[in-house]
Amino acid sequence: MGVLFEAKEEQERAGLLEDFIQKAGGCAVIDGGFATQLEIHGASINDPLWSALCLINSPHLITKVHLEYLEAGADIIVTSSYQATLPGFMSRGLSLEQGEELLEKSVKLATEARDLFWETVEKIRDHSYNRALVAASIGSYGAYLADGSEYSGYYGADVDLNKLKDFHRRRLQVLVEAGPDLLAFETIPNKLEAQAVAELLEEENIEIPSWICFSSVDGVNAPSGESFAECLEVINKSQKIVAVGINCAPPQFVHNLIQKFNELTEKVIVVYPNSGETWDGVAKRWLPSKCFNDEKFKVLAKRWHDSGAKLIGGCCRTTPSTIRGLSKVLKKTN
């Protein structure tokens, strides 16, 4: 009886996201690079907290960026909590309670921006927008370390399953209590952390639909070198995770990875790659490379959708202009 009930709950969670995707025309558009846009507006975020620093000193810029992506046509906006962790905030001299308030604030800023935008566009006759969902961003343990290990998958011999669950637990609880529509676990680099996320969602009995995205540095495997077959074996057993995919990998990797994921899972596939530049996690800078402009990104996005991805957006170094292009081409083809 319990197994049947869990299966029904999983179907309901997946159904909520599938219904939203269908309402969006068969493909929902996720927003783009957050830190990129904050820097365009003058934010200085070369800091271990990265974009989460603006929760402390420039929350108005966070609201501004959310509104820009909504105007560009994003169906899902992701909170500014990717690198927002309680240990990270406490290392800056903040109390545990202050850190929790900042996590809550990341969700509040996004939901308030969404509601404000929707209140405005509802008055416009024949507008083409959907009422966006808010996804609470939960970055990997490597993102907290801020040493580039989310792109290597190596956390050290002393980091085990329980340590990863303990690291994520309270942040997850606080973000869930803040009331987002979705949970987005991002740039997961190895099977161990994927397993920690899946088990934690079960232990905390989280009812909010979740997606989990891996990074990839070679276009074939997870950064740890583990195959995606190994990683998705863990995810496929989860009753709580409704979508799985790739974020912050180069665009040229995405098509083949979608095809691979199609063979490995029946869950919704989500992709939001970066611009094609390479992040040097040690030097904290983007390394020059052949970038994909917005026109190339649009062409690739249609291909990704045709291959089976149903949630598509951009990550680092993409902008509202990128998302506007994605929204136009993906909505046009549906």
Side-chain angles (χ1 to χ4, degrees), residues 245-257:
I246 295 289
N247 80 290
C248 215
Q252 64 266 30
F253 291 170
V254 172
H255 176 67
N256 288 339
L257 288 172

Side-chain angles (χ1 to χ4, degrees), residues 62-322:
I62 292 174
T63 299
K64 183 179 180 68
V65 173
H66 282 317
L67 289 171
E68 287 174 332
Y69 278 118
L70 289 164
E71 191 278 330
D75 299 307
I76 299 173
I77 57 172
V78 182
T79 63
S80 54
S81 51
Y82 173 77
Q83 218 144 306
T85 67
L86 296 173
F89 287 135
M90 292 170 71
S91 71
R92 301 296 292 266
L94 299 176
S95 68
L96 176 64
E97 292 74 17
Q98 289 172 320
E100 291 179 351
E101 287 172 1
L102 288 170
L103 284 172
E104 293 170 359
K105 187 176 185 177
S106 71
V107 176
K108 183 179 180 182
L109 289 170
T111 54
E112 287 180 346
R114 183 268 311 277
D115 293 344
L116 175 62
F117 182 77
W118 187 244
E119 183 181 336
T120 302
V121 299
E122 265 196 313
K123 299 172 184 176
I124 302 173
R125 187 175 180 180
D126 298 327
H127 70 81
S128 60
Y129 293 102
N130 298 302
R131 185 177 186 274
L133 299 183
V134 171
S137 172
I138 302 171
S140 63
Y141 181 67
Y144 154 68
L145 296 177
D147 62 358
S149 56
E150 69 266 48
Y151 301 109
S152 72
Y154 181 69
Y155 288 162
D158 64 328
V159 177
D160 59 14
L161 186 66
N162 287 328
K163 182 167 185 175
L164 288 173
K165 286 196 284 188
D166 289 343
F167 167 75
H168 283 295
R169 192 179 304 275
R170 184 55 189 156
R171 174 170 58 160
L172 174 64
Q173 292 170 342
V174 173
L175 288 171
V176 166
E177 289 166 6
D181 303 299
L182 302 165
L183 298 173
F185 293 89
E186 302 184 296
T187 61
I188 302 300
N190 54 41
K191 179 181 177 180
L192 183 67
E193 191 159 19
Q195 184 177 346
V197 167
E199 290 188 10
L200 186 57
L201 289 170
E202 292 290 343
E203 290 173 11
E204 296 295 323
N205 193 26
I206 302 302
E207 298 301 328
I208 299 173
S210 301
W211 80 56
I212 183 167
C213 279
F214 296 89
S215 48
S216 181
V217 295
D218 63 3
V220 178
N221 299 308
S224 61
E226 295 164 309
S227 72
F228 283 118
E230 294 176 81
C231 295
L232 266 66
E233 183 181 3
V234 174
I235 301 305
N236 286 334
K237 295 175 183 176
S238 172
Q239 305 291 324
K240 307 291 187 181
I241 298 168
V242 300
V244 62
I246 295 289
N247 80 290
C248 215
Q252 64 266 30
F253 291 170
V254 172
H255 176 67
N256 288 339
L257 288 172
I258 292 171
Q259 292 182 316
K260 183 185 292 285
F261 279 34
N262 277 330
E263 298 171 357
L264 298 172
T265 188
E266 294 182 0
K267 295 182 185 291
V268 171
I269 293 178
V270 49
V271 295
Y272 45 115
N274 57 39
S275 67
E277 295 170 77
T278 303
W279 174 248
D280 184 333
V282 177
K284 301 290 189 301
R285 65 189 181 92
W286 289 96
L287 302 178
S289 65
K290 183 179 180 181
C291 295
F292 288 74
N293 61 29
D294 290 347
E295 287 302 314
K296 289 181 181 177
F297 217 91
K298 284 195 302 184
V299 172
L300 289 173
K302 185 181 183 309
R303 189 182 184 200
W304 301 334
H305 178 46
D306 291 343
S307 298
K310 294 183 179 179
L311 297 170
I312 299 176
C315 201
C316 297
R317 307 292 277 186
T318 61
T319 67
S321 174
T322 313

